[in-house]
Amino acid sequence: MDDFEVIREALSQEELLAQLAEEAVELAHAALKLRRVYDGTNPTPVKRSEAFANLKEEIADVRLLLSVLELDRHGMEYDRIAGMKLKRWSRRLAEKEG
């Protein structure tokens, strides 16, 4: 039994989804902290390297949960959706610029 199977056997889908939500919140907080470091308007004692390292760790945590939940198997579908969202986002920015 590999590590993924051990985790899937020990924890329910509901518990894994709760863990994913928790990690997603931590990722959001890490992104906001790094933004504060970049912006400097609301100073934080956290160094840029530390904030970026924390962001990478939280990204890894979210990706791990996606793998454990086997939600990463839909990569091509996610790429298609992301492609549509990228075009929409780009179009909105272009329209804003006039």
Side-chain angles (χ1 to χ4, degrees), residues 1-78:
M1 188 177 314
D2 69 17
D3 294 334
F4 289 106
E5 291 168 342
V6 170
I7 294 167
R8 286 183 202 117
E9 288 286 323
L11 300 174
S12 69
Q13 286 287 102
E14 294 83 3
E15 186 59 32
L16 291 170
L17 287 169
Q19 183 69 33
L20 174 61
E22 182 179 324
E23 298 300 346
V25 168
E26 290 175 5
L27 174 57
H29 286 173
L32 289 168
K33 179 65 74 171
L34 184 57
R35 182 223 171 261
R36 281 181 62 196
V37 170
Y38 284 159
D39 183 72
T41 301
N42 185 8
T44 175
V46 175
K47 291 184 173 50
R48 182 180 293 210
S49 61
E50 181 184 347
F52 188 68
N54 189 43
L55 180 71
K56 290 189 299 186
E57 182 175 337
E58 298 306 337
I59 290 169
D61 289 345
V62 168
R63 290 180 70 182
L64 174 60
L65 262 294
L66 293 173
S67 293
V68 170
L69 284 161
E70 297 181 313
L71 294 174
D72 60 344
R73 295 182 300 170
H74 307 284
M76 290 180 63
E77 182 180 355
Y78 296 147

Side-chain angles (χ1 to χ4, degrees), residues 75-86:
M76 290 180 63
E77 182 180 355
Y78 296 147
D79 290 345
R80 180 186 60 76
I81 294 167
M84 291 183 334
K85 289 180 177 261
L86 176 63

